[in-house]
C-alpha cells in the first residue's frame, strides 16, 4: 500500500527503531510512547484493521503469532507485566490503518 506509513517502515523507506523482525512480523518503538515501553507489533501483510481479518487466508494464525511475538519480546525485555491492545476503526481510536498490536509497559 503506497500511502501506508507502516508499509513504508516495513520497506525501510522511512526509519524506525526496530527491535525485532522476521519473515512476517516487525516490532518497532512507537514514535509517541504512551508508557515507559511502547512497542508496536506489525505484520508485514497489509491488513487495514481487525475487521478485515480473513480466516481463509490464515489471518487468525497471523494474529496468534503477533500475540506470541509480543509475549516473547516482553520476556526478553524482562517486563513483569504489560498491556496488549488493538484499536479498531476510527471510533475505536485507530489512526494508522495497518493492523498493529500495542505492547505497553511501565516495568
Ligand atoms: P493507533 O491509534 O492507530 O492504534 O496507533 C498508531 C500508533 O502509531 C500511535 O501510537 C502512533 O504514535 C504510532 N505512529 C504513527 N506514526 C508512526 C511512525 O511514523 N513511526 C512510529 N514508530 N510510530 C508511529
Ligand atoms: Zn500497510
Amino acid at each position: 500500500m503506497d500511502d501506508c506509513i507502516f508499509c513504508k517502515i516495513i520497506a525501510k523507506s522511512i526509519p524506525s527503531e526496530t527491535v525485532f523482525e522476521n519473515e512476517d512480523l516487525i516490532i518497532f518503538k512507537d514514535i509517541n510512547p504512551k508508557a515507559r515501553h511502547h512497542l508496536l507489533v506489525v505484520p508485514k501483510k497489509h491488513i487495514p484493521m481487525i475487521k478485515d481479518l480473513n480466516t481463509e487466508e490464515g489471518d487468525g494464525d497471523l494474529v496468534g503469532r503477533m500475540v506470541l511475538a509480543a509475549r516473547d519480546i516482553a520476556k526478553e525485555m524482562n517486563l513483569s507485566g504489560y498491556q496488549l491492545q488493538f484499536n479498531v476503526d476510527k471510533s475505536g481510536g485507530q489512526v494508522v490503518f495497518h493492523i498493529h498490536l500495542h505492547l505497553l509497559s511501565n516495568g
Side-chain angles (χ1 to χ4, degrees), residues 5-6 9 14-17 28-34 38 40 85-88 93-97 100 102:
I5 190 120
F6 287 177
I9 287 174
I14 66 167
S16 73
E17 286 194 67
F28 52 85
K29 294 185 183 179
D30 196 291
I31 205 166
N32 180 24
K34 282 126 198 133
H38 187 172
L40 299 172
Q85 182 176 327
F86 284 106
N87 295 330
V88 184
Q94 189 173 1
V95 174
V96 176
F97 285 83
H100 52 280
H102 294 261

Side-chain angles (χ1 to χ4, degrees), residues 16-87:
S16 73
E17 286 194 67
T18 299
V19 297
F20 174 82
E21 183 168 10
N22 67 12
E23 63 282 353
D24 72 341
L25 298 176
I26 186 168
I27 305 179
F28 52 85
K29 294 185 183 179
D30 196 291
I31 205 166
N32 180 24
K34 282 126 198 133
R36 182 134 57 94
H37 303 280
H38 187 172
L39 300 177
L40 299 172
V41 181
V42 182
K44 293 186 174 176
K45 180 181 180 186
H46 179 90
I47 301 167
M49 64 173 121
I50 286 280
K51 290 178 185 177
D52 299 309
L53 290 171
N54 184 336
T55 50
E56 285 169 15
E57 287 183 15
D59 292 348
D61 288 346
L62 179 60
V63 170
R65 292 196 296 279
M66 291 169 71
V67 172
L68 293 173
R71 176 200 64 178
D72 291 346
I73 199 90
K75 188 173 183 193
E76 243 176 63
M77 293 168 71
N78 290 314
L79 303 178
S80 61
Y82 46 89
Q83 292 173 291
L84 298 178
Q85 182 176 327
F86 284 106
N87 295 330

Side-chain angles (χ1 to χ4, degrees), residues 4 7 46 98:
C4 171
C7 282
H46 179 90
H98 178 132

